[in-house]
Amino acid sequence: MSDQAAINMTAPAAAAPVTAQPAVAVARPRRKGWPADDGYRPRRFTGAILPLALLLLAELGARLDWIPARLLPPPSELAQTLWSLAVRGELLPHIAASLARVAAGFAIGSLLAIGLGLLVGISRRAEAWLEPSFQALRAIPSLAWIPLLLLWLGIDETPKVALIAIGAFFPVYLNLVAGIRDIDHKLIEVGTSSGLGQGELIRHILLPAALPYLFAGLRGGLSLAWMFLVAAELIAATRGVGYLLSDGRESSRPDLVLAAILILAVLGKVSDGLLRAIEHKSLGWRDARQQSSQKKS
């Protein structure tokens, strides 16, 4: 078996949890890890039951005057507000502006986090220089960055994207560093003794083994990017879902505020679902590559 095949075969397994095998074989396959498989198989739309039930309860409460409409408008009124925005041609431009800001900020923050996370993960010297500063910066609230970004970058799109990038950076960075530190050091010794350069070592060992951690960080970073979007669109924005939220507050329109919150929830869920699908495909490709290496060996 060649050294390269051994590396490809072994590296992805470093991130897999060690689980005890059952003493007696059973007919139904068991999932590894926690929580244990109790035989429950959810239906496709099981996750939609709870939010739909809450919407129905809110509608019923408003119709029966259990909930003041000025505090919590019924879902039917929210639907009318969204329809009115769509008919006037205002809804899609607001959504498109927010999507563009989140996409740009998330991409910039994630790429910086991956680069610096790899550097800190493989270098104790880089960790000693950078880690204390990153931990201090991570504790700064999002709103505290706004005055500084306005002074440095003005009031156009740049400070908005920069703020979202800051929010996306830290979850990706922290998870990637943790994933690299969790890799068995013997794998790295095998790679270096096989003559792999630093770039090949990262590509064949570090990233495949840390891939689950990386995607966990990317999903967390994407979630924070949507959270930071609202703060970002307080920076002299005239378009965006965060602007709708602020406009509803200033005009005392709870229906507009709740409609904006609903849009943010849907956009966040859809984007997380897309990223999760990419994660499943990437991990499947990694496992297929591992099996191919085992067959060749």
Side-chain angles (χ1 to χ4, degrees):
M1 180 174 60
S2 64
D3 293 335
Q4 183 62 46
I7 294 169
N8 290 335
M9 179 183 65
T10 313
V18 179
T19 56
Q21 297 296 327
V24 180
V26 294
R28 179 170 51 85
R30 295 174 60 89
R31 292 184 302 175
K32 295 182 178 181
W34 186 261
D37 186 2
D38 58 359
Y40 175 68
R41 293 294 182 270
R43 297 181 181 273
R44 184 175 182 182
F45 299 105
T46 300
I49 295 176
L50 180 59
L52 289 176
L54 292 176
L55 290 175
L56 289 175
L57 286 175
E59 184 72 26
L60 181 63
R63 297 294 181 184
L64 298 178
D65 293 329
W66 293 345
I67 304 174
R70 60 183 180 84
L71 297 180
L72 184 63
S76 58
E77 186 176 342
L78 300 183
Q80 292 176 359
T81 300
L82 291 172
W83 177 253
S84 176
L85 290 172
V87 169
R88 296 200 304 265
E90 299 178 9
L91 184 60
L92 287 181
H94 285 302
I95 293 176
S98 293
L99 282 173
R101 289 164 183 154
V102 168
F106 176 68
I108 294 172
S110 298
L111 290 175
L112 288 174
I114 291 173
L116 291 172
L118 287 171
L119 178 63
V120 171
I122 64 179
S123 172
R124 293 294 181 182
R125 186 184 301 272
E127 179 186 18
W129 280 90
L130 299 176
E131 185 69 10
S133 298
F134 285 158
Q135 293 299 330
L137 292 173
R138 188 166 66 94
I140 300 176
S142 60
L143 292 177
W145 289 101
I146 294 178
L148 185 62
L149 293 176
L150 287 174
L151 290 173
W152 283 356
L153 303 175
I155 60 173
D156 57 0
E157 290 297 307
T158 307
K160 301 176 180 62
V161 173
L163 184 61
I164 296 171
I166 291 171
F169 174 87
F170 291 104
V172 181
Y173 166 80
L174 292 172
N175 279 272
L176 181 57
V177 171
I180 293 174
R181 294 290 164 78
D182 196 48
I183 298 173
D184 189 350
H185 195 267
K186 293 180 180 179
L187 295 176
I188 302 177
E189 292 178 353
V190 171
T192 54
S193 62
S194 301
L196 294 182
Q198 192 170 26
E200 293 176 328
L201 190 69
I202 292 173
R203 187 169 67 253
H204 293 294
I205 293 181
L206 298 183
L207 281 180
L211 205 57
Y213 291 86
L214 176 59
F215 274 105
L218 288 172
R219 292 180 66 187
L222 182 60
S223 177
L224 273 184
W226 284 109
M227 294 180 187
F228 274 55
L229 171 72
V230 176
E233 290 183 338
L234 295 176
I235 307 177
T238 58
R239 185 170 293 177
V241 182
Y243 168 76
L244 282 179
L245 192 67
S246 178
D247 185 46
R249 175 184 59 83
E250 293 177 356
S251 58
S252 299
R253 289 187 57 189
D255 61 320
L256 189 57
V257 171
L258 289 172
I261 292 174
L262 181 61
I263 293 171
L264 288 171
V266 172
L267 292 176
K269 173 58 180 174
V270 171
S271 59
D272 180 75
L274 292 175
L275 187 55
R276 188 173 184 180
I278 296 173
E279 176 186 7
H280 288 167
K281 288 187 178 181
S282 299
L283 294 179
W285 173 82
R286 187 197 69 170
D287 295 339
R289 187 178 178 184
Q290 175 188 4
Q291 294 175 1
S292 176
S293 299
Q294 291 175 346
K295 291 179 181 179
K296 290 180 181 179
S297 61

